[in-house]
Amino acid sequence: MREARDRFGSGSSLDGSFRSGFTLVELLVVMAIIAVLLTIATPRYFNSVERSKEAVLRQDLNVMRDAIDKFYGDTGSYPRDLAELVEKRYLRAIPVDPLTESSETWVTRPPPDSAEGLYDVRSGAEEESKDGTSYATW
Protein backbone atom coordinates (compact mmCIF):
# COMPACT_ATOMS: atom_id res chain seq x y z
CA MET A 1 0.00 0.00 0.00
CA ARG A 2 2.82 2.41 0.83
CA GLU A 3 4.48 1.73 -2.48
CA ALA A 4 1.28 2.58 -4.35
CA ARG A 5 0.96 5.90 -2.50
CA ASP A 6 4.57 6.81 -3.30
CA ARG A 7 4.16 6.01 -6.98
CA PHE A 8 1.00 8.04 -7.34
CA GLY A 9 2.17 11.11 -5.44
CA SER A 10 0.68 10.96 -1.96
CA GLY A 11 2.99 13.77 -0.92
CA SER A 12 5.11 11.90 1.59
CA SER A 13 7.97 9.48 1.21
CA LEU A 14 8.69 6.23 3.08
CA ASP A 15 10.40 7.99 5.99
CA GLY A 16 7.45 10.35 6.56
CA SER A 17 9.04 13.53 5.18
CA PHE A 18 7.32 15.54 2.44
CA ARG A 19 8.61 15.74 -1.13
CA SER A 20 10.13 18.99 -2.26
CA GLY A 21 8.23 21.03 -4.85
CA PHE A 22 6.59 24.35 -5.47
CA THR A 23 3.26 25.31 -4.06
CA LEU A 24 0.67 27.23 -5.99
CA VAL A 25 1.34 30.35 -3.92
CA GLU A 26 5.06 30.22 -4.70
CA LEU A 27 4.35 29.87 -8.40
CA LEU A 28 1.90 32.80 -8.29
CA VAL A 29 4.49 35.00 -6.55
CA VAL A 30 7.08 34.19 -9.20
CA MET A 31 4.57 34.89 -11.98
CA ALA A 32 3.68 38.23 -10.36
CA ILE A 33 7.36 39.22 -10.16
CA ILE A 34 7.85 38.32 -13.84
CA ALA A 35 4.76 40.35 -14.78
CA VAL A 36 6.05 43.41 -12.90
CA LEU A 37 9.44 43.15 -14.60
CA LEU A 38 7.79 42.86 -18.02
CA THR A 39 5.63 45.93 -17.42
CA ILE A 40 8.78 47.89 -16.63
CA ALA A 41 10.86 46.57 -19.54
CA THR A 42 8.31 46.54 -22.37
CA PRO A 43 7.82 50.32 -22.79
CA ARG A 44 11.57 50.87 -22.75
CA TYR A 45 12.01 48.22 -25.42
CA PHE A 46 9.44 49.78 -27.76
CA ASN A 47 10.88 53.27 -27.23
CA SER A 48 14.34 52.03 -28.14
CA VAL A 49 12.98 50.33 -31.27
CA GLU A 50 11.30 53.59 -32.34
CA ARG A 51 14.48 55.61 -31.69
CA SER A 52 16.55 53.16 -33.71
CA LYS A 53 14.11 53.39 -36.66
CA GLU A 54 14.43 57.18 -36.55
CA ALA A 55 18.23 56.92 -36.50
CA VAL A 56 18.19 54.57 -39.50
CA LEU A 57 15.86 56.92 -41.37
CA ARG A 58 18.14 59.90 -40.73
CA GLN A 59 21.16 57.90 -41.92
CA ASP A 60 19.39 56.65 -45.06
CA LEU A 61 18.28 60.18 -45.96
CA ASN A 62 21.82 61.51 -45.45
CA VAL A 63 23.33 58.76 -47.62
CA MET A 64 20.82 59.29 -50.45
CA ARG A 65 21.19 63.08 -50.34
CA ASP A 66 24.96 62.73 -50.41
CA ALA A 67 24.69 60.41 -53.44
CA ILE A 68 22.46 62.96 -55.22
CA ASP A 69 25.00 65.71 -54.53
CA LYS A 70 27.88 63.58 -55.79
CA PHE A 71 25.92 62.66 -58.91
CA TYR A 72 25.26 66.36 -59.58
CA GLY A 73 28.91 67.21 -58.96
CA ASP A 74 30.09 64.52 -61.38
CA THR A 75 27.54 64.99 -64.18
CA GLY A 76 26.25 68.56 -63.81
CA SER A 77 22.65 67.35 -63.75
CA TYR A 78 20.39 65.69 -61.24
CA PRO A 79 19.47 61.99 -61.51
CA ARG A 80 16.09 61.09 -63.00
CA ASP A 81 15.19 58.90 -60.04
CA LEU A 82 16.70 56.74 -57.30
CA ALA A 83 17.09 53.83 -59.71
CA GLU A 84 19.57 55.88 -61.76
CA LEU A 85 21.72 56.33 -58.65
CA VAL A 86 21.81 52.55 -58.32
CA GLU A 87 22.53 52.02 -62.03
CA LYS A 88 25.46 54.45 -61.93
CA ARG A 89 26.67 52.87 -58.67
CA TYR A 90 26.24 55.91 -56.45
CA LEU A 91 24.10 53.64 -54.27
CA ARG A 92 24.33 49.87 -53.98
CA ALA A 93 20.58 49.58 -53.58
CA ILE A 94 17.65 51.79 -52.79
CA PRO A 95 17.36 51.62 -49.01
CA VAL A 96 14.21 50.40 -47.32
CA ASP A 97 12.35 53.11 -45.42
CA PRO A 98 12.42 51.76 -41.84
CA LEU A 99 9.03 53.28 -41.03
CA THR A 100 7.06 52.11 -44.06
CA GLU A 101 9.26 49.00 -44.53
CA SER A 102 9.36 49.53 -48.29
CA SER A 103 11.86 50.96 -50.75
CA GLU A 104 8.99 52.15 -52.96
CA THR A 105 7.56 54.78 -50.60
CA TRP A 106 10.30 57.41 -50.82
CA VAL A 107 8.94 60.82 -51.84
CA THR A 108 11.17 62.59 -54.34
CA ARG A 109 11.39 66.35 -54.86
CA PRO A 110 12.41 68.13 -58.08
CA PRO A 111 15.07 70.86 -58.09
CA PRO A 112 13.88 74.33 -57.03
CA ASP A 113 14.79 75.85 -60.42
CA SER A 114 12.15 73.68 -62.15
CA ALA A 115 14.78 71.58 -63.92
CA GLU A 116 14.04 67.91 -64.31
CA GLY A 117 15.48 65.36 -62.01
CA LEU A 118 15.68 64.31 -58.40
CA TYR A 119 16.82 67.00 -55.98
CA ASP A 120 15.72 65.72 -52.59
CA VAL A 121 14.28 62.61 -50.95
CA ARG A 122 11.88 62.36 -48.02
CA SER A 123 10.18 59.55 -46.16
CA GLY A 124 6.74 58.44 -47.23
CA ALA A 125 5.69 57.84 -43.62
CA GLU A 126 2.78 59.95 -42.43
CA GLU A 127 3.44 59.60 -38.69
CA GLU A 128 5.21 62.05 -36.41
CA SER A 129 8.58 61.54 -34.77
CA LYS A 130 9.28 61.55 -31.04
CA ASP A 131 10.05 65.28 -31.19
CA GLY A 132 6.70 66.06 -32.78
CA THR A 133 7.85 66.78 -36.34
CA SER A 134 6.47 64.89 -39.31
CA TYR A 135 8.77 62.31 -40.88
CA ALA A 136 7.79 63.72 -44.28
CA THR A 137 9.56 67.01 -43.44
CA TRP A 138 12.95 65.47 -42.60
Side-chain angles (χ1 to χ4, degrees):
M1 180 90 169
R2 259 191 167 168
E3 291 175 19
R5 274 192 243 148
D6 287 339
R7 266 190 259 150
F8 296 112
S10 66
S12 63
S13 62
L14 291 174
D15 62 356
S17 63
F18 287 96
R19 292 183 183 166
S20 63
F22 296 108
T23 65
L24 180 62
V25 173
E26 291 171 330
L27 291 173
L28 289 174
V29 168
V30 170
M31 298 279 283
I33 291 171
I34 291 172
V36 168
L37 291 175
L38 283 175
T39 58
I40 293 170
T42 302
R44 289 185 181 190
Y45 169 74
F46 286 115
N47 282 337
S48 67
V49 168
E50 192 67 29
R51 280 195 316 262
S52 65
K53 284 183 179 182
E54 288 182 2
V56 169
L57 176 61
R58 287 184 195 275
Q59 181 64 27
D60 287 346
L61 289 171
N62 286 335
V63 166
M64 287 189 291
R65 289 172 178 158
D66 186 49
I68 292 168
D69 291 342
K70 287 179 180 178
F71 185 93
Y72 183 78
D74 290 346
T75 64
S77 64
Y78 291 104
R80 293 183 314 272
D81 52 15
L82 291 173
E84 186 174 5
L85 291 173
V86 174
E87 289 170 14
K88 304 278 176 128
R89 300 195 185 270
Y90 285 90
L91 293 173
R92 288 190 180 194
I94 299 172
V96 174
D97 186 336
L99 301 171
T100 62
E101 297 179 355
S102 173
S103 62
E104 303 294 323
T105 57
W106 296 109
V107 177
T108 59
R109 306 262 185 204
D113 61 359
S114 299
E116 290 186 23
L118 168 65
Y119 177 74
D120 194 14
V121 178
R122 305 236 171 131
S123 174
E126 297 177 3
E127 298 92 18
E128 289 187 354
S129 66
K130 292 285 184 190
D131 64 2
T133 59
S134 173
Y135 291 122
T137 62
W138 286 12

